[in-house]
Amino acid sequence: MKSIKIFAPATVANLSCGFDVLGCCLDTIGDEMIISITEEPGVKITKIEGADLPFETHKNVAGVAVESFLSAYGKDIGVTIEIYKKIKAGSGIGSSAASSAGAVWAINHLLGNPFTPQKLVEFAMQGEKLASGNAHADNVAPALLGGFTLVRSYSPLDIIKLHSPKDLVMTVIHPQIEVKTSDSRSVIKHNVTLKKAIQQWGNVGGLVAGLFTEDYDLIGRSLEDVIIEPLRSILIPEFDTVKKAAIQKGALGAGISGSGPSIFALSKGMKTANDVADTIKDIYSKTGIDFDIHISKINDQGVKIIN
Amino acid sequence: MKSIKIFAPATVANLSCGFDVLGCCLDTIGDEMIISITEEPGVKITKIEGADLPFETHKNVAGVAVESFLSAYGKDIGVTIEIYKKIKAGSGIGSSAASSAGAVWAINHLLGNPFTPQKLVEFAMQGEKLASGNAHADNVAPALLGGFTLVRSYSPLDIIKLHSPKDLVMTVIHPQIEVKTSDSRSVIKHNVTLKKAIQQWGNVGGLVAGLFTEDYDLIGRSLEDVIIEPLRSILIPEFDTVKKAAIQKGALGAGISGSGPSIFALSKGMKTANDVADTIKDIYSKTGIDFDIHISKINDQGVKIIN
């Protein structure tokens, strides 16, 4: 039996202007998983700690992602999965993506990397489909490739790894409220004005350029979402106050992580990220809502082996 | 009297997915201008060759751009402008932008560069406003900064110079038909679906990433416009045939230059760009429509001094 223990990272998707296409990988928050290849064929989830998730393979995102992997791999091998969940479900920082991405990355590693990271994204997307009904890639891509990623296209799937300036630090607040997926979807409009769409793709271009040139100011100026954030932010208590305060404390920009309710603020340097965290804590402490705060550098590696 | 002779380059704006935000600067097609600073105050256009354009300063795009420059400069100096027009009006490769950009660049140079290129873009935009009613920057920005440029935002104006991979070569065909600005505007819809907007900003991100990483394949995959081109291309004879043939001959991608009627094809290497030109010539020769073909590397410098 071959076995590895891995860190399966949390991720921040959307990144303001980059709705549905951009995401980045975190370093200090993530699940742990132990994945093993066994002699007896079949996928088994043998342990789940930290969350109330199904053990049935076809109902578990990691199980579904692994089945998708094995179906392409073609050989009848056995896999056992242990999940030590640290990322809370429904937090908006890629909880399901971490499990899907972690599981397929680990098996690929144990088998001598028969598949490219791009292909692993496809398998992990099947887990996302189970979790949300939509096989989106904007969390599993950064979890698997690390750093900042762009989903240029879904048909065909085309994932681009961008450059990660090393001083970027994320502060993420997770307010422990439930935002129903149906609510966070229903506020989005199917049509947008061309004018706003142009503003948005100008900012996407600026953000990508800022990442490659390590122009932190440009990154900050580009972290602007004129389409989704104005609609979705009303579902997140104190969003505007948190965003404004984070930027006043020196954050380059702030926005909704995934479909919320987590809010991210991106800063240059750990000191600013800590200051931003303190400010957000102050604001949220007054609301009576429980919350977690995460501070993390960008994890340029993605899923990784731990002891 | 101080005087310089300059090359004022043609430019390709929009670049498929980058409608209204992306543009690039050409090297083998452009106007020539002689700009002088004189003792007698006032802006005078003393010579225009190659086009039937107004000599009255306030009716001439170069005149208007220079007036805008001088108004910010604050000193009462004299300027004479000679224009040797080579870019045909209405071609869709930045004819008016070349005149506006060339004039303000030259005066700035003669005065010891009191203004940044970004500021020059603002002055030159006044010429564009006269030409089209709309102070757009997507031609004057690449003419002034060279290479590929992104207009991240208009309010405030934020122009970003991108990286230009050195093997990129443009083939541009200008079919000598008139496409009325009112027609090319009226076919555009004010609303787009969010789905198409996301595809478009995925491609903008991919194109910018491809330019910075010199990933020619990615540049090609990203040269896709799902919003404007399907509507505007019907105004350009043989657009689909030309685009398809260019890509078959090896072009990375092709699209409408500016608001047309010119069509651009972007290739890696001069040989492919020449092959593409030959193919396009074959197609257009059969239409009975007069046309010009330009083949040009990307001009990373923008406006430049010539002897």
Side-chain angles (χ1 to χ4, degrees), chain B residues 63-105:
Chain B
V64 167
V66 168
E67 292 285 10
S68 170
F69 178 107
L70 292 180
S71 159
Y73 188 60
K75 289 181 201 157
D76 210 14
I77 60 168
V79 174
T80 64
I81 302 171
E82 298 177 29
I83 304 172
Y84 302 87
K85 206 76 199 155
K86 311 248 168 116
I87 313 169
K88 286 177 184 145
S91 52
I93 52 170
S95 180
S96 59
S99 299
S100 304
V104 296
W105 187 92

Side-chain angles (χ1 to χ4, degrees), chain A:
Chain A
M1 191 178 89
K2 288 195 288 183
S3 186
I4 49 171
K5 186 173 178 184
I6 56 152
F7 171 78
T11 44
V12 174
N14 290 343
L15 293 174
S16 300
C17 54
F19 180 73
D20 261 9
V21 304
L22 291 172
C24 74
C25 188
L26 300 183
D27 208 29
T28 56
I29 169 85
D31 300 338
E32 291 178 9
M33 302 175 83
I34 296 172
I35 310 286
S36 310
I37 292 182
T38 60
E39 289 185 3
E40 191 188 341
V43 181
K44 287 197 190 76
I45 297 162
T46 54
K47 199 166 192 177
I48 300 175
E49 278 187 20
D52 185 22
L53 295 170
F55 279 83
E56 297 98 312
T57 310
H58 67 285
K59 291 184 182 171
N60 182 298
V61 298
V64 167
V66 169
E67 292 285 10
S68 171
F69 178 107
L70 291 180
S71 160
Y73 187 61
K75 287 180 203 159
D76 210 15
I77 60 167
V79 175
T80 63
I81 302 171
E82 298 177 29
I83 305 172
Y84 301 88
K85 206 75 199 155
K86 311 249 170 113
I87 312 169
K88 287 177 184 143
S91 53
I93 52 170
S95 179
S96 59
S99 299
S100 304
V104 297
W105 186 93
I107 294 173
N108 197 49
H109 180 85
L110 287 169
L111 293 172
N113 296 313
F115 293 113
T116 61
Q118 180 111 0
K119 199 72 196 162
L120 296 181
V121 171
E122 287 183 40
F123 304 139
M125 282 166 68
Q126 295 310 310
E128 294 294 75
K129 192 173 173 185
L130 176 69
S132 71
N134 179 14
H136 65 101
D138 47 348
N139 287 103
V140 293
L144 283 162
L145 280 74
F148 286 84
T149 56
L150 169 77
V151 186
R152 187 197 63 80
S153 156
Y154 274 94
S155 178
L157 187 67
D158 192 4
I159 309 287
I160 315 297
K161 180 161 180 177
L162 309 174
H163 179 72
S164 295
K166 69 175 185 345
D167 289 343
L168 287 178
V169 186
M170 276 285 184
T171 305
V172 178
I173 175 164
H174 170 213
Q176 285 165 30
I177 55 166
E178 189 193 357
V179 174
K180 285 186 187 155
T181 308
S182 56
D183 285 346
S184 86
R185 279 192 193 161
S186 68
V187 293
I188 293 179
K189 300 200 169 85
H190 289 292
N191 287 296
V192 299
T193 64
L194 179 59
K195 193 180 166 188
K196 284 192 179 171
I198 292 167
Q199 279 181 269
Q200 197 91 343
W201 66 62
N203 280 316
V204 169
L207 183 48
V208 173
L211 291 172
F212 278 107
T213 56
E214 304 205 350
D215 182 337
Y216 293 89
D217 250 27
L218 174 56
I219 292 167
R221 298 199 302 279
S222 306
L223 280 173
E224 183 184 39
D225 174 0
V226 297
I227 294 177
I228 307 298
E229 184 180 297
L231 303 171
R232 270 197 178 160
S233 58
I234 55 168
L235 302 171
I236 304 170
E238 301 298 338
F239 177 85
D240 290 339
T241 313
V242 165
K243 180 174 175 173
K244 199 173 159 191
I247 291 168
Q248 264 176 351
K249 275 284 166 187
L252 301 167
I256 302 169
S257 177
S259 57
S262 285
I263 306 169
F264 78 86
L266 192 59
S267 300
K268 183 181 180 186
M270 194 52 86
K271 190 192 170 301
T272 304
N274 279 312
D275 289 349
V276 167
D278 289 342
T279 294
I280 299 177
K281 271 181 210 166
D282 285 348
I283 295 166
Y284 250 81
S285 298
K286 290 170 194 153
T287 62
I289 299 168
D290 286 339
F291 61 91
D292 294 319
I293 292 252
H294 308 290
I295 299 168
S296 175
K297 289 193 173 187
I298 306 303
N299 164 2
D300 203 36
Q301 188 180 347
V303 183
K304 50 191 165 189
I305 298 170
I306 50 176
N307 289 322

Side-chain angles (χ1 to χ4, degrees), chain B residues 159-208:
Chain B
I159 309 287
I160 315 298
K161 181 163 180 176
L162 309 173
H163 179 72
S164 295
K166 70 177 186 343
D167 290 343
L168 287 178
V169 186
M170 276 284 185
T171 306
V172 178
I173 175 165
H174 170 214
Q176 283 165 32
I177 55 166
E178 190 194 352
V179 173
K180 284 185 189 157
T181 307
S182 57
D183 285 347
S184 84
R185 277 192 193 162
S186 67
V187 293
I188 292 178
K189 300 199 169 85
H190 290 292
N191 288 296
V192 300
T193 63
L194 180 59
K195 192 180 167 189
K196 284 192 178 172
I198 293 167
Q199 279 180 270
Q200 197 91 342
W201 67 62
N203 281 315
V204 168
L207 182 48
V208 172

